[in-house]
């Protein structure tokens, strides 16, 4: 019989049991469910709502059940619907009527809210750890490439020279904000909802603060209706994860471009690439492509959650059972993508010469020669026009700017002198941009220092 079977005269149709049941996917919260129940039982005993003896028996039996589940001795039942009722049923099967006292002053509505919050806060911590590893890897690569010059792009057209370290540290900043967003989201996840009951709290004198303390929460929810119907913490987390995946997807896209013959900036390690079943020459960046693809999947999870919650009247509605697969999928996907991505970039070969060669083409020092004229007194707009003509001349004559001879230079401006060659060399273009946030060695070093400080505080 169902734990709620009292007012029913017929049993549930088998198809409805299957349809209603969430045990297939909420069983992964068994630990949170049991730890939550242990804290609830302890509090019920302490507040004399049940006897101390019953409380202890319940707590100990729950611990045994936890151990049995972990050792693989427990089979969950579809018709016990979800993890909450499965655990309670097992408890009752072991200690009879005493077990039936556990659910005093509690509803599955506040129980499920508790379990998801406990589950997600652990996942946030886990995701932060793998992101920190990615960040350390970026710093490692940056340190090795402080002087590796490559073109920076806008519109995917070569724009100005930067360093590979600077490029890596750009991603460092994005993932740093992702970590900070997760921290922020954690604050709203880590609030304890038990005591909200089904929707209107309870008449039992529960000590909610004690339960919060026992379970490591930072506070308790302030409105029972809100507490059982709020899933914004899960939506917020999937939004954070979507942004993170968007960053990873941009990075993946660059890895894919860079590993092409057209760019030739990096070579992925054999262990992180795949071949073609027909074209023997191929070495494909499948890992990066899959990560890029999975970003779409995580966005889908966010949309699913937003759509499930849209228009739901207060308080709990069964629609909300649909929250779990989406948020679990988002979390699982991120946890799969980040570590393999990290290993992929850790092992990639950086082809410094190709990067440098690319920076030599495409007139990436054109801004610098315009600036050279500005320093000699010409207004920037005029300098821009002069250099525009010079670039046109170079294109027509198939030359780079620094391949022009003095007489060619002078034909554009009398102010150009011998020192121009030094001034527009790629290394000068980079080293001159030494403002905070710029690509020059000392600026990137400072940013690495800050990054290491940030990571050491995690
Ligand atoms: N399995 C349910 C869920 O995930 C637990 C809450 C059920 N509450 C209810 N009133 N039917 O949402």
């Amino acid at each position: 019989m169902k734990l709620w079977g009292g007012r029913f005269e017929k049993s549930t149709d088998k198809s409805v049991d299957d349809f209603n049941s969430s045990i297939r996917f909420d069983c992964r919260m068994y630990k949170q469910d049991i730890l939550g129940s242990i804290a609830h039982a302890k509090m019920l005993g302490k507040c004399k709502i049940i006897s101390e003896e019953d409380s202890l028996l319940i707590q100990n039996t729950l611990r045994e059940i936890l151990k049995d589940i972990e050792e693989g001795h427990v089979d969950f039942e579809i018709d016990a619907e979800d993890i909450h009722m499965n655990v309670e049923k097992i408890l009752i099967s072991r200690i009879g009527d005493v077990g039936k006292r556990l659910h005093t002053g509690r509803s599955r509505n506040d129980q499920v809210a508790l379990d998801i919050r406990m589950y997600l806060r652990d996942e946030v911590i886990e995701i932060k750890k793998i992101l920190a590893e990615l960040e350390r890897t970026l710093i490692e690569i940056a340190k090795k490439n402080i002087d590796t010059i490559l073109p920076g792009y806008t519109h995917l057209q070569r724009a100005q020279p930067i360093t590979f370290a600077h490029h890596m540290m750009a991603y460092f900043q994005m993932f740093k904000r992702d970590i900070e967003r997760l921290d922020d989201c954690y604050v709203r996840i880590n609030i304890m909802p038990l005591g909200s009951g089904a929707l209107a709290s309870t008449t039992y004198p529960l000590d909610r603060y004690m339960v919060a303390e026992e379970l490591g929460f930072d506070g308790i929810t302030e409105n029972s209706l809100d507490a059982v119907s709020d899933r914004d913490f899960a939506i917020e987390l999937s939004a954070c994860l979507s942004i993170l995946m968007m960053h990873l997807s941009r990075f993946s896209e660059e890895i894919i471009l860079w590993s092409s013959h057209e760019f030739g900036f990096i070579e992925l390690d054999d262990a992180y690439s795949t071949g073609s079943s027909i074209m023997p020459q191929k070495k494909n960046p499948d890992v990066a492509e899959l990560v890029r693809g999975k970003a779409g999947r995580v966005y889908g999870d966010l949309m699913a959650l937003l759509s499930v919650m849209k228009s739901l009247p207060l308080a709990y509605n069964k629609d909300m059972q649909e929250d779990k697969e989406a948020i679990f999928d988002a979390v699982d996907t991120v946890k799969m993508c980040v570590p393999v991505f990290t290993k992929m970039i850790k092992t990639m070969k950086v082809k410094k010469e190709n990067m440098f060669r690319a920076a030599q083409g495409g007139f990436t020092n054109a801004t610098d020669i315009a600036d050279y004229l500005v320093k000699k007194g010409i207004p920037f707009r005029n300098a821009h026009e002069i250099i525009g003509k010079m670039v046109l001349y170079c294109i027509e004559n198939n030359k780079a700017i620094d391949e022009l001879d003095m007489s060619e230079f002078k034909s554009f401006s009398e102010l150009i002198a011998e020192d121009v060659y030094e001034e527009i060399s790629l290394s000068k273009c980079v080293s001159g941009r030494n403002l905070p946030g710029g690509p020059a060695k000392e600026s990137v070093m400072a940013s690495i220092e800050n990054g290491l400080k940030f990571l050491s505080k995690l």
Side-chain angles (χ1 to χ4, degrees):
M1 174 157 131
K2 295 273 194 294
L3 286 176
W4 40 254
R7 66 97 68 212
F8 286 77
E9 290 173 345
K10 268 191 184 173
S11 56
T12 326
D13 190 87
K14 172 83 179 69
S15 66
V16 174
D17 264 342
D18 292 343
F19 186 64
N20 247 349
S21 171
S22 53
I23 188 66
R24 278 190 332 277
F25 47 86
D26 64 18
C27 59
R28 65 160 80 190
M29 303 192 301
Y30 70 86
K31 190 167 178 187
Q32 290 75 15
D33 193 74
I34 292 176
L35 294 178
S37 288
I38 292 173
H40 182 66
K42 191 168 175 186
M43 181 276 296
L44 290 177
K46 166 103 182 313
C47 297
K48 311 223 175 312
I49 298 164
I50 64 174
S51 73
E52 198 58 41
E53 201 188 338
D54 286 353
S55 164
L56 282 175
L57 181 58
I58 293 173
Q59 290 178 56
N60 291 335
T61 313
L62 284 169
R63 277 187 206 102
E64 280 164 27
I65 296 172
L66 178 58
K67 186 160 169 276
D68 290 347
I69 295 174
E70 270 167 356
E71 286 170 1
H73 304 317
V74 173
D75 287 325
F76 295 122
E77 293 169 12
I78 293 271
D79 57 353
E81 208 175 309
D82 54 27
I83 186 62
H84 327 295
M85 289 201 293
N86 265 280
V87 170
E88 198 178 333
K89 238 180 138 175
I90 299 166
L91 179 73
I92 293 168
S93 76
R94 294 191 185 184
I95 56 173
D97 279 353
V98 176
K100 293 183 185 171
R101 297 191 189 276
L102 168 64
H103 211 49
T104 312
R106 190 177 70 170
S107 153
R108 271 186 300 153
N109 296 352
D110 55 357
Q111 190 177 354
V112 70
L114 177 86
D115 293 4
I116 311 174
R117 284 171 181 275
M118 287 174 70
Y119 186 84
L120 293 184
R121 68 182 182 179
D122 290 348
E123 296 289 26
V124 167
I125 291 169
E126 193 51 37
I127 294 172
K128 275 182 61 186
K129 272 194 208 143
I130 56 180
L131 278 178
E133 185 52 30
L134 171 58
E135 293 287 61
R136 276 189 282 275
T137 304
L138 287 174
I139 287 188
E140 227 174 79
I141 302 172
K143 279 184 172 163
K144 288 188 205 141
N145 288 283
I146 268 297
D147 296 313
T148 307
I149 292 178
L150 82 166
Y153 293 79
T154 63
H155 315 272
L156 203 56
Q157 309 279 326
R158 283 176 230 178
Q160 290 174 341
I162 54 169
T163 65
F164 198 54
H166 194 51
H167 206 116
M168 292 299 103
M169 291 308 287
Y171 282 108
F172 183 95
Q173 293 301 322
M174 297 177 227
F175 297 123
K176 173 171 177 263
R177 291 192 296 276
D178 289 328
I179 292 174
E180 289 167 342
R181 254 186 291 277
L182 287 173
D183 277 338
D184 200 30
C185 177
Y186 187 93
V187 171
R188 278 175 288 281
I189 293 176
N190 204 27
I191 306 288
M192 208 288 298
L194 279 194
S196 304
L199 75 160
S201 81
T202 174
T203 52
Y204 297 101
L206 306 183
D207 184 348
R208 299 188 62 207
Y209 292 102
M210 172 182 166
V211 177
E213 169 97 35
E214 284 286 323
L215 296 173
F217 281 95
D218 293 323
I220 60 171
T221 54
E222 274 196 42
N223 180 296
S224 61
L225 278 179
D226 175 51
V228 290
S229 48
D230 164 34
R231 293 291 181 273
D232 7 323
F233 59 89
I235 297 176
E236 188 177 349
L237 177 58
S238 52
C240 296
L241 299 181
S242 294
I243 298 174
L244 157 59
M245 288 303 292
M246 178 270 293
H247 290 148
L248 265 189
S249 152
R250 294 184 77 174
F251 204 165
S252 296
E253 172 73 10
E254 299 210 290
I255 297 286
I256 294 160
L257 289 172
W258 292 340
S259 61
S260 70
H261 273 290
E262 284 70 10
F263 274 82
F265 286 3
I266 58 161
E267 185 177 342
L268 292 176
D269 193 85
D270 279 1
Y272 294 92
S273 346
T274 40
S276 155
S277 55
I278 171 167
M279 297 164 284
Q281 85 281 15
K282 295 276 271 181
K283 184 168 170 186
N284 295 329
D286 283 24
V287 170
E289 290 172 48
L290 259 180
V291 170
R292 187 176 60 180
K294 284 178 191 289
R297 177 177 178 143
V298 175
Y299 295 0
D301 294 326
L302 169 62
M303 281 319 294
L305 281 169
L306 283 168
S307 312
V308 163
M309 294 309 291
K310 178 181 173 295
S311 314
L312 288 189
L314 301 188
Y316 179 84
N317 300 270
K318 185 80 169 191
D319 315 43
M320 290 160 68
Q321 181 165 285
E322 291 292 309
D323 61 355
K324 281 167 223 57
E325 284 158 294
I327 189 65
F328 292 163
D329 184 72
V331 161
D332 292 349
T333 304
V334 165
K335 279 168 62 184
M336 254 204 301
C337 289
V338 177
V340 65
F341 188 92
T342 301
K343 288 197 271 181
M344 176 186 68
I345 61 167
K346 206 181 211 134
T347 52
M348 73 187 174
K349 199 169 126 215
V350 177
K351 295 169 146 177
K352 301 187 182 187
E353 318 74 46
N354 290 354
M355 289 183 176
F356 190 74
R357 208 170 308 125
Q360 281 175 317
F363 312 103
T364 58
N365 51 2
T367 315
D368 293 80
I369 178 155
D371 290 341
Y372 172 88
L373 289 178
V374 169
K375 282 174 203 149
K376 305 245 163 174
I378 298 191
F380 181 74
R381 275 289 152 239
N382 296 348
H384 188 285
E385 197 187 331
I386 294 168
I387 306 306
K389 291 197 174 113
M390 186 184 289
V391 168
L392 200 58
Y393 173 86
C394 288
I395 293 171
E396 277 159 6
N397 292 278
N398 201 18
K399 284 183 168 184
I401 296 177
D402 35 31
E403 284 167 0
L404 299 180
D405 62 30
M406 244 321 124
S407 67
E408 286 172 304
F409 270 130
K410 294 267 188 217
S411 72
F412 293 97
S413 168
E414 276 302 324
L415 292 172
I416 302 179
E418 268 306 322
D419 62 343
V420 72
Y421 293 106
E422 163 65 12
E423 283 305 306
I424 64 168
S425 71
L426 292 183
S427 61
K428 193 72 195 278
C429 294
V430 171
S431 67
R433 290 179 163 77
N434 58 359
L435 300 176
K441 189 176 191 153
E442 66 260 40
S443 306
V444 176
M445 287 300 238
S447 156
I448 289 176
E449 278 313 307
N450 283 339
L452 287 170
K453 238 179 266 159
F454 170 76
L455 291 176
S456 74
K457 280 192 238 125
L458 286 183

